[in-house]
Amino acid sequence: MAAILLAGVFLVSGAPETKRLSVYSPSANFSLPVTERNGGDYVGLVEILEPLGAATARVDGRTSRVRYNNLDGEFTDGKTRARVQGQNFDLPGSFVVDNGHGLVPLGSLPTLLQRFLGAPVNFRETSRRLFIGDVAVHFTAQVNKTSPTLVMNFSSPVNPMIATEPGKLRMVFTHEPLVPPGSQSLTFDSTVIPSATFQENNGAAEIAVAGPVPLFASFSNDGRTITITPAPQAVARPAPSPAQAPPTLSANPTPPAAPGPPAAPNTSGPLSTQYFAVVDASHGGDERGAALSDQLAEKDVTLAFGRRLRQELQARGFNTLLLRDGDITLGLDQRASLTNGAHPAIYICLHAGSQGSGVRLFTALLPAGGENRGPFLDWDTAQSRFRALSQNTESSLASEFGKRQVPVRSLAAPLRPLNNVAAAAVAIEIAPPAGKIADLDSPAYQQVVAESVVAGIEMVKDRLGAGLEVSLSDVTKPDVTKPDVTRPDATKAGATR
Ligand SMILES: [Zn+2]
């Protein structure tokens, strides 16, 4: 089972990077901000201990007493001498108390953590990546010359941020303790994918794959395999003629030519495939979603329905990308990034539930206070510009469900990743038509639901298409004004529902 995903053309925010430290341990992977004190790099002592165990601190004048699990430590503002569990030792720089908050020099972390945790610590100081215990993720890379395809296998599932730029595809691993292969630069016997380099910087590892043609990454094997191939070059737009073949986003880079109206100029960046709709089958892989019955997991219902919906949309000429076409785990941020990279006119997220009957439609309820000024969209409120369009679509779908006697309710909810999507976005939660769970799996019922969705989209396609023109013209502006969605930190990633 290989899941085909689009490597988004999203760019990383151009804001100056803050200094970060990433910590990898068997219990938690996390990043912390680094601050400068006394001309050196410092990090909060309790902040680094807290994700690893029970940590408290009490500041008493210049003395800070720290308790981690059952161990005690004592640190003094302005002094290098410290004590953990009755044993004195010296920090490489003095301890700092700032607003009742203890900070330690980065260079002290290996000794300090070894004393508190009793586990081996490996600190890659120049890149600020700290490994506790045996947590490293390894990878291998191999080019299949005939395809040509670069296959990278990882020892644990990975979820890098992917960005493309002329001449290379970059994968940035912040949450994974990825370690370099034998050599930092890999050369392959291929003119299409000649080389890749590994580097580490600011709490992250990066693999950059060089390629004279635009490259495209797909994930499979539950996130343990990334396959990189030349990107498909099709520009397919919604066509009035029915039944255009589904796009083949496979390792074979020969997409079908789009019939119908003249293709839009290829302006959307290195990846030029234009999707009208992105369909997202929620959950998948390790994440089963709701247990609808003993036999039926939500992830399987959303996938079956997603495939049917894609087929119906394609049949009506709406070029459609199904984000997950297999049983794989995809994060919410990844789903939103892939969607934003595909620049669709409409994003449709699918859930299934056992409560009630018929369908519930959701549009985003955006967090208060999110502002979208300047060239970069705020990740949490990327949806704000598209809210009216999303609501139009929601009511059009609702009326089509009504026409087909499917009970329907329209709601707004803070349902991720709707708020992170820079396109019209609707979530559909499908419950059985009359309370019988097994009906969820019924092709007849799924077909009625899919037809309602397609008919609803048909009614607003011109408005949605107009939105598409806007987003296409936006991305053709000079680079500095290119709107894009900044990537959140892992700490911002909330649960869905
Ligand atoms: Zn769900």
Side-chain angles (χ1 to χ4, degrees):
M1 161 219 59
I4 304 299
L5 292 178
L6 186 70
V9 195
F10 69 88
L11 305 174
V12 186
S13 163
E17 262 190 319
T18 47
K19 274 190 177 182
R20 301 195 71 79
L21 164 77
S22 288
V23 179
Y24 307 105
S25 79
S27 56
N29 296 333
F30 55 96
S31 291
L32 294 172
V34 170
T35 53
E36 273 182 43
R37 290 290 187 284
N38 311 328
D41 288 339
Y42 277 74
V43 68
L45 176 57
V46 172
E47 282 72 11
I48 199 166
L49 291 173
E50 246 172 0
L52 303 169
T56 52
R58 198 158 43 87
V59 177
D60 190 0
R62 299 181 60 190
T63 308
S64 178
R65 294 192 171 80
V66 176
R67 190 165 176 85
Y68 174 78
N69 291 345
N70 55 354
L71 301 182
D72 289 304
E74 198 178 299
F75 302 82
T76 311
D77 187 23
K79 299 272 191 257
T80 56
R81 179 52 57 95
R83 183 205 295 259
V84 172
Q85 210 48 12
Q87 289 199 320
N88 289 331
F89 62 100
D90 280 306
L91 305 172
S94 43
F95 186 75
V96 171
V97 175
D98 189 7
N99 275 324
H101 209 76
L103 302 170
V104 290
L106 281 194
S108 70
L109 291 176
T111 318
L112 208 50
L113 291 175
Q114 226 146 3
R115 282 169 193 265
F116 273 117
L117 307 174
V121 175
N122 173 12
F123 187 29
R124 304 170 82 89
E125 198 164 352
T126 47
S127 58
R128 293 189 292 273
R129 302 175 76 222
L130 192 141
F131 295 66
I132 299 168
D134 183 17
V135 289
V137 172
H138 302 268
F139 74 96
T140 59
Q142 224 175 350
V143 162
N144 175 344
K145 243 180 106 180
T146 46
S147 309
T149 304
L150 170 62
V151 179
M152 310 183 84
N153 285 308
F154 297 83
S155 57
S156 295
V158 293
N159 186 6
M161 184 180 76
I162 296 177
T164 53
E165 54 189 66
K168 69 173 124 166
L169 180 144
R170 296 167 52 216
M171 293 178 278
V172 179
F173 302 79
T174 307
H175 313 297
E176 296 91 347
L178 191 66
V179 294
S183 155
Q184 302 239 321
S185 70
L186 304 166
T187 51
F188 309 114
D189 185 16
S190 160
T191 50
V192 179
I193 305 176
S195 64
T197 53
F198 178 97
Q199 46 177 304
E200 294 169 86
N201 180 34
N202 198 20
E206 175 180 321
I207 299 174
V209 181
V213 300
L215 297 173
F216 176 91
S218 61
F219 293 72
S220 58
N221 192 16
D222 291 337
R224 287 184 178 81
T225 301
I226 298 178
T227 305
I228 295 172
T229 58
Q233 296 293 315
V235 178
R237 302 297 307 274
S241 56
Q244 109 191 32
T248 49
L249 295 182
S250 66
N252 178 0
T254 48
N266 170 12
T267 51
S268 59
L271 280 186
S272 50
T273 302
Q274 182 61 57
Y275 292 102
F276 190 84
V278 167
V279 172
D280 185 5
S282 291
H283 313 289
D286 302 334
E287 199 214 310
R288 294 170 54 81
L292 300 169
S293 72
D294 288 350
Q295 289 83 37
L296 212 52
E298 185 184 357
K299 65 172 185 175
D300 298 324
V301 174
T302 59
L303 179 57
F305 181 64
R307 286 173 172 160
R308 184 174 296 269
L309 183 57
R310 173 181 56 184
Q311 183 187 325
E312 290 301 311
L313 285 165
Q314 293 280 156
R316 298 292 277 270
F318 297 112
N319 197 21
T320 300
L321 173 71
L322 181 59
L323 277 193
R324 164 172 91 80
D325 192 6
D327 188 22
I328 60 157
T329 310
L330 273 184
L332 294 172
D333 290 330
Q334 199 178 9
R335 291 173 195 258
S337 293
L338 293 165
T339 301
N340 293 336
H343 296 290
I346 172 86
Y347 166 79
I348 305 164
C349 172
L350 305 174
H351 286 271
S354 52
Q355 302 296 308
S357 61
V359 298
R360 285 193 287 181
L361 304 175
F362 295 91
T363 49
L365 189 64
L366 297 176
E371 290 291 329
N372 276 317
R373 285 198 220 93
F376 296 103
L377 292 182
D378 173 64
W379 180 260
D380 288 326
T381 56
Q383 173 64 199
S384 58
R385 278 202 298 166
F386 300 90
R387 195 138 59 147
L389 208 49
S390 300
Q391 285 161 351
N392 279 338
T393 310
E394 183 184 41
S395 27
S396 175
L397 297 191
S399 102
E400 296 297 327
F401 279 113
K403 283 183 199 165
R404 288 164 182 78
Q405 275 83 48
V406 178
V408 59
R409 286 175 64 197
S410 298
L411 305 152
L415 178 61
R416 294 199 62 221
L418 289 181
N419 55 317
N420 312 122
V421 171
V426 176
I428 305 176
E429 186 185 50
I430 309 155
K436 257 178 66 195
I437 301 296
D439 287 347
L440 269 180
D441 211 20
S442 130
Y445 180 52
Q446 292 188 358
Q447 187 64 26
V448 174
V449 175
E451 279 172 13
S452 309
V453 174
V454 176
I457 286 174
E458 188 78 41
M459 296 302 290
V460 291
K461 71 173 179 194
D462 291 343
R463 254 178 290 178
L464 289 173
L468 190 66
E469 294 305 332
V470 168
S471 74
L472 270 179
S473 63
D474 275 352
V475 298
T476 61
K477 286 175 189 164
D479 275 0
V480 282
T481 60
K482 193 175 284 187
D484 226 309
V485 177
T486 54
R487 180 78 185 173
D489 289 322
T491 50
K492 276 211 248 165
T496 160
R497 42 204 272 108

PDB file of all heavy atoms in Angstrom, residues 278 339 344-348 383 386-391 393 418 421-426 464:
ATOM      1  N   VAL A 278      -9.664  19.147  -2.871  1.00  0.00           N
ATOM      2  CA  VAL A 278      -8.868  18.221  -2.072  1.00  0.00           C
ATOM      3  C   VAL A 278      -9.834  17.514  -1.134  1.00  0.00           C
ATOM      4  O   VAL A 278     -10.603  18.162  -0.429  1.00  0.00           O
ATOM      5  CB  VAL A 278      -7.768  18.952  -1.272  1.00  0.00           C
ATOM      6  CG1 VAL A 278      -7.167  18.026  -0.220  1.00  0.00           C
ATOM      7  CG2 VAL A 278      -6.680  19.457  -2.199  1.00  0.00           C
ATOM      8  N   THR A 339      -2.683  20.443   1.674  1.00  0.00           N
ATOM      9  CA  THR A 339      -3.816  21.099   1.019  1.00  0.00           C
ATOM     10  C   THR A 339      -3.413  22.486   0.530  1.00  0.00           C
ATOM     11  O   THR A 339      -3.648  22.846  -0.627  1.00  0.00           O
ATOM     12  CB  THR A 339      -5.003  21.203   1.998  1.00  0.00           C
ATOM     13  OG1 THR A 339      -5.349  19.885   2.418  1.00  0.00           O
ATOM     14  CG2 THR A 339      -6.196  21.870   1.344  1.00  0.00           C
ATOM     15  N   PRO A 344      -6.153  24.274  -3.809  1.00  0.00           N
ATOM     16  CA  PRO A 344      -7.433  23.887  -4.417  1.00  0.00           C
ATOM     17  C   PRO A 344      -8.473  24.993  -4.251  1.00  0.00           C
ATOM     18  O   PRO A 344      -8.259  25.947  -3.491  1.00  0.00           O
ATOM     19  CB  PRO A 344      -7.845  22.674  -3.592  1.00  0.00           C
ATOM     20  CG  PRO A 344      -7.316  22.988  -2.228  1.00  0.00           C
ATOM     21  CD  PRO A 344      -6.014  23.743  -2.442  1.00  0.00           C
ATOM     22  N   ALA A 345      -9.610  24.846  -4.966  1.00  0.00           N
ATOM     23  CA  ALA A 345     -10.727  25.768  -4.773  1.00  0.00           C
ATOM     24  C   ALA A 345     -11.526  25.371  -3.541  1.00  0.00           C
ATOM     25  O   ALA A 345     -12.108  26.217  -2.881  1.00  0.00           O
ATOM     26  CB  ALA A 345     -11.619  25.758  -6.005  1.00  0.00           C
ATOM     27  N   ILE A 346     -11.540  24.078  -3.240  1.00  0.00           N
ATOM     28  CA  ILE A 346     -12.342  23.602  -2.109  1.00  0.00           C
ATOM     29  C   ILE A 346     -11.642  22.446  -1.419  1.00  0.00           C
ATOM     30  O   ILE A 346     -11.054  21.579  -2.074  1.00  0.00           O
ATOM     31  CB  ILE A 346     -13.771  23.188  -2.576  1.00  0.00           C
ATOM     32  CG1 ILE A 346     -14.580  22.512  -1.461  1.00  0.00           C
ATOM     33  CG2 ILE A 346     -13.733  22.211  -3.762  1.00  0.00           C
ATOM     34  CD1 ILE A 346     -15.309  23.465  -0.583  1.00  0.00           C
ATOM     35  N   TYR A 347     -11.690  22.472  -0.087  1.00  0.00           N
ATOM     36  CA  TYR A 347     -11.148  21.394   0.746  1.00  0.00           C
ATOM     37  C   TYR A 347     -12.328  20.737   1.463  1.00  0.00           C
ATOM     38  O   TYR A 347     -13.151  21.430   2.068  1.00  0.00           O
ATOM     39  CB  TYR A 347     -10.159  21.973   1.750  1.00  0.00           C
ATOM     40  CG  TYR A 347      -9.767  21.046   2.880  1.00  0.00           C
ATOM     41  CD1 TYR A 347      -8.822  20.042   2.699  1.00  0.00           C
ATOM     42  CD2 TYR A 347     -10.322  21.198   4.153  1.00  0.00           C
ATOM     43  CE1 TYR A 347      -8.452  19.205   3.740  1.00  0.00           C
ATOM     44  CE2 TYR A 347      -9.961  20.364   5.206  1.00  0.00           C
ATOM     45  CZ  TYR A 347      -9.019  19.369   4.988  1.00  0.00           C
ATOM     46  OH  TYR A 347      -8.655  18.544   6.040  1.00  0.00           O
ATOM     47  N   ILE A 348     -12.413  19.418   1.362  1.00  0.00           N
ATOM     48  CA  ILE A 348     -13.520  18.695   1.982  1.00  0.00           C
ATOM     49  C   ILE A 348     -12.950  17.632   2.908  1.00  0.00           C
ATOM     50  O   ILE A 348     -12.238  16.730   2.477  1.00  0.00           O
ATOM     51  CB  ILE A 348     -14.407  18.006   0.920  1.00  0.00           C
ATOM     52  CG1 ILE A 348     -14.896  19.031  -0.106  1.00  0.00           C
ATOM     53  CG2 ILE A 348     -15.605  17.320   1.580  1.00  0.00           C
ATOM     54  CD1 ILE A 348     -15.434  18.390  -1.376  1.00  0.00           C
ATOM     55  N   GLN A 383      -7.863  30.356   7.418  1.00  0.00           N
ATOM     56  CA  GLN A 383      -9.176  30.192   6.819  1.00  0.00           C
ATOM     57  C   GLN A 383      -9.959  31.513   6.722  1.00  0.00           C
ATOM     58  O   GLN A 383     -10.916  31.598   5.953  1.00  0.00           O
ATOM     59  CB  GLN A 383      -9.969  29.167   7.668  1.00  0.00           C
ATOM     60  CG  GLN A 383     -11.422  28.951   7.346  1.00  0.00           C
ATOM     61  CD  GLN A 383     -11.709  28.379   5.967  1.00  0.00           C
ATOM     62  OE1 GLN A 383     -12.809  28.473   5.474  1.00  0.00           O
ATOM     63  NE2 GLN A 383     -10.720  27.793   5.336  1.00  0.00           N
ATOM     64  N   PHE A 386     -11.490  33.016   3.631  1.00  0.00           N
ATOM     65  CA  PHE A 386     -12.316  32.115   2.830  1.00  0.00           C
ATOM     66  C   PHE A 386     -13.610  31.732   3.538  1.00  0.00           C
ATOM     67  O   PHE A 386     -14.346  30.886   3.077  1.00  0.00           O
ATOM     68  CB  PHE A 386     -11.521  30.841   2.489  1.00  0.00           C
ATOM     69  CG  PHE A 386     -10.273  31.138   1.719  1.00  0.00           C
ATOM     70  CD1 PHE A 386      -9.077  31.393   2.371  1.00  0.00           C
ATOM     71  CD2 PHE A 386     -10.302  31.213   0.331  1.00  0.00           C
ATOM     72  CE1 PHE A 386      -7.926  31.693   1.659  1.00  0.00           C
ATOM     73  CE2 PHE A 386      -9.155  31.514  -0.383  1.00  0.00           C
ATOM     74  CZ  PHE A 386      -7.961  31.753   0.283  1.00  0.00           C
ATOM     75  N   ARG A 387     -13.860  32.403   4.687  1.00  0.00           N
ATOM     76  CA  ARG A 387     -14.977  31.950   5.507  1.00  0.00           C
ATOM     77  C   ARG A 387     -16.318  32.093   4.783  1.00  0.00           C
ATOM     78  O   ARG A 387     -17.158  31.201   4.829  1.00  0.00           O
ATOM     79  CB  ARG A 387     -15.011  32.678   6.838  1.00  0.00           C
ATOM     80  CG  ARG A 387     -15.919  31.987   7.827  1.00  0.00           C
ATOM     81  CD  ARG A 387     -15.313  31.945   9.169  1.00  0.00           C
ATOM     82  NE  ARG A 387     -15.074  33.325   9.571  1.00  0.00           N
ATOM     83  CZ  ARG A 387     -15.145  33.726  10.828  1.00  0.00           C
ATOM     84  NH1 ARG A 387     -15.443  32.874  11.778  1.00  0.00           N
ATOM     85  NH2 ARG A 387     -14.902  34.956  11.142  1.00  0.00           N
ATOM     86  N   ALA A 388     -16.521  33.227   4.103  1.00  0.00           N
ATOM     87  CA  ALA A 388     -17.800  33.441   3.422  1.00  0.00           C
ATOM     88  C   ALA A 388     -18.003  32.374   2.347  1.00  0.00           C
ATOM     89  O   ALA A 388     -19.080  31.800   2.204  1.00  0.00           O
ATOM     90  CB  ALA A 388     -17.832  34.838   2.808  1.00  0.00           C
ATOM     91  N   LEU A 389     -16.932  32.098   1.620  1.00  0.00           N
ATOM     92  CA  LEU A 389     -16.989  31.090   0.560  1.00  0.00           C
ATOM     93  C   LEU A 389     -17.281  29.697   1.147  1.00  0.00           C
ATOM     94  O   LEU A 389     -18.041  28.913   0.594  1.00  0.00           O
ATOM     95  CB  LEU A 389     -15.637  31.092  -0.161  1.00  0.00           C
ATOM     96  CG  LEU A 389     -15.567  30.685  -1.625  1.00  0.00           C
ATOM     97  CD1 LEU A 389     -16.608  31.406  -2.468  1.00  0.00           C
ATOM     98  CD2 LEU A 389     -14.164  30.984  -2.164  1.00  0.00           C
ATOM     99  N   SER A 390     -16.681  29.427   2.293  1.00  0.00           N
ATOM    100  CA  SER A 390     -16.915  28.134   2.956  1.00  0.00           C
ATOM    101  C   SER A 390     -18.373  28.023   3.368  1.00  0.00           C
ATOM    102  O   SER A 390     -18.997  26.965   3.217  1.00  0.00           O
ATOM    103  CB  SER A 390     -16.031  28.000   4.195  1.00  0.00           C
ATOM    104  OG  SER A 390     -14.676  28.090   3.835  1.00  0.00           O
ATOM    105  N   GLN A 391     -18.918  29.133   3.895  1.00  0.00           N
ATOM    106  CA  GLN A 391     -20.315  29.093   4.346  1.00  0.00           C
ATOM    107  C   GLN A 391     -21.283  28.973   3.167  1.00  0.00           C
ATOM    108  O   GLN A 391     -22.283  28.269   3.244  1.00  0.00           O
ATOM    109  CB  GLN A 391     -20.620  30.314   5.218  1.00  0.00           C
ATOM    110  CG  GLN A 391     -20.002  30.162   6.608  1.00  0.00           C
ATOM    111  CD  GLN A 391     -19.866  31.471   7.373  1.00  0.00           C
ATOM    112  OE1 GLN A 391     -20.084  32.548   6.815  1.00  0.00           O
ATOM    113  NE2 GLN A 391     -19.499  31.375   8.636  1.00  0.00           N
ATOM    114  N   THR A 393     -20.641  27.403   0.435  1.00  0.00           N
ATOM    115  CA  THR A 393     -20.545  26.005   0.020  1.00  0.00           C
ATOM    116  C   THR A 393     -21.342  25.123   0.968  1.00  0.00           C
ATOM    117  O   THR A 393     -22.078  24.238   0.550  1.00  0.00           O
ATOM    118  CB  THR A 393     -19.073  25.562  -0.013  1.00  0.00           C
ATOM    119  OG1 THR A 393     -18.333  26.522  -0.765  1.00  0.00           O
ATOM    120  CG2 THR A 393     -18.917  24.198  -0.646  1.00  0.00           C
ATOM    121  N   LEU A 418      -9.569  22.689   9.602  1.00  0.00           N
ATOM    122  CA  LEU A 418     -10.304  23.659   8.783  1.00  0.00           C
ATOM    123  C   LEU A 418      -9.716  25.066   8.892  1.00  0.00           C
ATOM    124  O   LEU A 418      -9.575  25.765   7.894  1.00  0.00           O
ATOM    125  CB  LEU A 418     -11.783  23.705   9.206  1.00  0.00           C
ATOM    126  CG  LEU A 418     -12.660  22.500   8.872  1.00  0.00           C
ATOM    127  CD1 LEU A 418     -14.084  22.756   9.345  1.00  0.00           C
ATOM    128  CD2 LEU A 418     -12.645  22.222   7.374  1.00  0.00           C
ATOM    129  N   VAL A 421      -6.642  25.988   6.705  1.00  0.00           N
ATOM    130  CA  VAL A 421      -6.708  25.814   5.258  1.00  0.00           C
ATOM    131  C   VAL A 421      -6.971  27.134   4.555  1.00  0.00           C
ATOM    132  O   VAL A 421      -7.907  27.849   4.901  1.00  0.00           O
ATOM    133  CB  VAL A 421      -7.804  24.781   4.895  1.00  0.00           C
ATOM    134  CG1 VAL A 421      -8.047  24.741   3.400  1.00  0.00           C
ATOM    135  CG2 VAL A 421      -7.397  23.402   5.398  1.00  0.00           C
ATOM    136  N   ALA A 422      -6.146  27.449   3.567  1.00  0.00           N
ATOM    137  CA  ALA A 422      -6.293  28.694   2.806  1.00  0.00           C
ATOM    138  C   ALA A 422      -7.088  28.413   1.529  1.00  0.00           C
ATOM    139  O   ALA A 422      -6.571  28.544   0.414  1.00  0.00           O
ATOM    140  CB  ALA A 422      -4.925  29.284   2.505  1.00  0.00           C
ATOM    141  N   ALA A 423      -8.331  27.999   1.693  1.00  0.00           N
ATOM    142  CA  ALA A 423      -9.263  27.726   0.580  1.00  0.00           C
ATOM    143  C   ALA A 423     -10.627  27.546   1.229  1.00  0.00           C
ATOM    144  O   ALA A 423     -10.709  27.372   2.450  1.00  0.00           O
ATOM    145  CB  ALA A 423      -8.867  26.454  -0.169  1.00  0.00           C
ATOM    146  N   ALA A 424     -11.694  27.577   0.410  1.00  0.00           N
ATOM    147  CA  ALA A 424     -13.000  27.231   0.962  1.00  0.00           C
ATOM    148  C   ALA A 424     -12.873  25.856   1.603  1.00  0.00           C
ATOM    149  O   ALA A 424     -12.245  24.963   1.029  1.00  0.00           O
ATOM    150  CB  ALA A 424     -14.047  27.207  -0.144  1.00  0.00           C
ATOM    151  N   ALA A 425     -13.430  25.684   2.803  1.00  0.00           N
ATOM    152  CA  ALA A 425     -13.196  24.437   3.534  1.00  0.00           C
ATOM    153  C   ALA A 425     -14.443  24.025   4.292  1.00  0.00           C
ATOM    154  O   ALA A 425     -15.030  24.821   5.025  1.00  0.00           O
ATOM    155  CB  ALA A 425     -12.025  24.603   4.504  1.00  0.00           C
ATOM    156  N   VAL A 426     -14.834  22.775   4.101  1.00  0.00           N
ATOM    157  CA  VAL A 426     -16.023  22.238   4.758  1.00  0.00           C
ATOM    158  C   VAL A 426     -15.688  20.847   5.279  1.00  0.00           C
ATOM    159  O   VAL A 426     -14.985  20.085   4.612  1.00  0.00           O
ATOM    160  CB  VAL A 426     -17.195  22.126   3.744  1.00  0.00           C
ATOM    161  CG1 VAL A 426     -18.414  21.489   4.380  1.00  0.00           C
ATOM    162  CG2 VAL A 426     -17.562  23.493   3.186  1.00  0.00           C
ATOM    163  N   LEU A 464     -16.515  29.315  -6.387  1.00  0.00           N
ATOM    164  CA  LEU A 464     -15.295  28.635  -5.922  1.00  0.00           C
ATOM    165  C   LEU A 464     -14.165  28.839  -6.917  1.00  0.00           C
ATOM    166  O   LEU A 464     -13.020  29.089  -6.539  1.00  0.00           O
ATOM    167  CB  LEU A 464     -15.557  27.140  -5.734  1.00  0.00           C
ATOM    168  CG  LEU A 464     -16.437  26.751  -4.552  1.00  0.00           C
ATOM    169  CD1 LEU A 464     -16.751  25.266  -4.601  1.00  0.00           C
ATOM    170  CD2 LEU A 464     -15.752  27.093  -3.243  1.00  0.00           C
TER     171      LEU A 464
END
